[in-house]
Amino acid sequence: MRTLYWECTMGAAGDMLMASLLELVPDKNAFIEKINHIGIEGVEVSAEKKEKCGIQGTYVKVLVNGEEEHSHDHHHDHAHSHEHSHDHDHGHEHPHDHDHNHEHGHNHDHEHHDHGHNHDHEHHDHGYNHGHDHSHAPHHHASLEDIHQTIDKLQVSDWVKEQALAIYKLVAEAESKAHGKEVNQIHFHEVGQKDAIADIIGTCMLVEALNVEKIVVSPICTGTGHVHCAHGILPVPAPATAYLLENMPSFAGEEYGEMCTPTGAAILKHFATEFGNRPSMEIAKIGYGMGTKDFAKANCVRSFVGNGTMAESQDCVMLATNIDDMTGEEIGFCVERLWEANPIDVYTLAIGMKKNRPGVQLVCICETEKVAQMEQLIFQHTTTLGIRRTACTIDKRK
């Protein structure tokens, strides 16, 4: 079974996940050429080498109309008319470094006001939820239906479109929960939604190209600390990210800043077939997807692709009973009836019982859903008064 393992113990952003997979394909330049011609208007994707803690990896840059969108340390929650002077160099103070691309929704709910931010950020994949018109033309906002139409027109396979739409739907649903709005009221900032589309589509294209059957994801580092918003301070992980991380293993880690973005969490949630440590696998290639910030630990997502797992695990139940008052023919008849019910295994063992009497242990291993059926057959065809039940796991060699 061809397996992909995503190691996200230093966080996860859409561009970092894509970059880690880009290192696994035979021709990175051919992929970059391909994604730049699928029809995402105004978007240019490039890849460059970047080093973190002495390790070489790939950084993916997404330009929208010639500009790289940057990650913000703040959120805006307002729904009436207001003015921004977003120039991607926001100048208000914030107390922490902030790792990667983010795609948080911003739901605008307060009186007219004026921002003049001017601080450095990184590339981000956050969409901004707005419920109003802006007074400045450059900021267009797209609904989930708009994004659906955009993706549907791209020159990619139907499979890639289906995966990308499912991922974007997860993001929209999480933003909906976070802001208390219906999904159809969630809107995404033009630049944020375009670079997020590039990250999501690119990742889906690479998963398709790698032709993996199983994707295992490590526990996810979210980072710690806070992000600033118009009405106060929000904790990390941001609300939408926290909703996406439900039922997924995650931890804060030691780094101050947002390490996992909504797009990253949504991609992992959609593709993961299971979560845990790296499985037993024959590693064919390893890829490093780099962020832009520098921390004590290497700021990267690492991907392993394997030619196949060495073993496949199956949960099952072992039923056992000791018998000393039946003939071999009678026990053999019971064994035949058990085999007819398709267990995993049935066998007998010669044992010594109390007062040194020779006996037979009858063992039946079966799937959990067949336990009641197998126990009924054992009680029907033996003289036993009880059956021991033990949960177990079988590792099957591939």
Side-chain angles (χ1 to χ4, degrees), residues 45 50 116 126 152 176 188 217 238 246 274 277 291 319 326 331 347 365 374 382 385 395:
V45 178
K50 189 175 287 289
H126 286 260
D152 196 51
S176 171
F188 299 88
V217 177
E246 288 181 342
E274 63 182 74
N277 295 324
L319 306 173
M326 291 178 64
I331 292 175
Y347 58 91
I365 301 174
M374 297 300 178
T382 71
L385 298 176
D395 289 336

Side-chain angles (χ1 to χ4, degrees), residues 229-244:
C229 72
H231 291 294
I233 297 174
L234 296 177
V236 171
T241 307
Y243 281 117
L244 284 161

